[in-house]
Amino acid sequence: MSEVLTVECPTCGNTVIWGEISPHRPFCSKRCQLIDLGEWASEEKKIPSQSDSAENDSWSEDPER
C-alpha cells in the first residue's frame, strides 16, 4: 500500500492530496490558484535577487541605446 502525500495549500493552508485527485495542486482549488496568480501579477510576490534592474539606469529594452 502506498503512502498518500499531502501538502498545505500555499494560499489558505488547507490540506491537499498530491495526486491526480487534486487537479489544482499545490492549491486546494481554482480560487486559491487565481488568488496566488493575482498576487504575482500585482507584484505583491516576487523572487528576491542580488540586484534590482529598476535601480540600474543603464538598462534598456532598446538595443540601440
Side-chain angles (χ1 to χ4, degrees):
M1 185 172 190
S2 64
E3 186 176 322
V4 176
L5 179 62
T6 60
V7 296
E8 280 189 16
C9 173
T11 304
C12 70
N14 283 337
T15 301
V16 179
I17 296 173
W18 192 270
E20 298 291 324
I21 194 168
S22 304
H24 304 293
R25 64 186 177 273
F27 304 98
C28 66
S29 64
K30 185 70 171 176
R31 178 181 176 273
C32 282
Q33 188 180 44
L34 290 173
I35 289 171
D36 186 75
L37 177 61
E39 290 172 350
W40 282 100
S42 66
E43 296 186 355
E44 292 174 36
K45 290 185 178 180
K46 44 184 126 170
I47 298 172
S49 67
Q50 297 287 40
S51 64
D52 186 4
S53 62
E55 294 176 1
N56 187 350
D57 292 333
S58 64
W59 183 86
S60 173
E61 289 182 356
D62 185 3
E64 295 179 19
R65 281 183 107 188

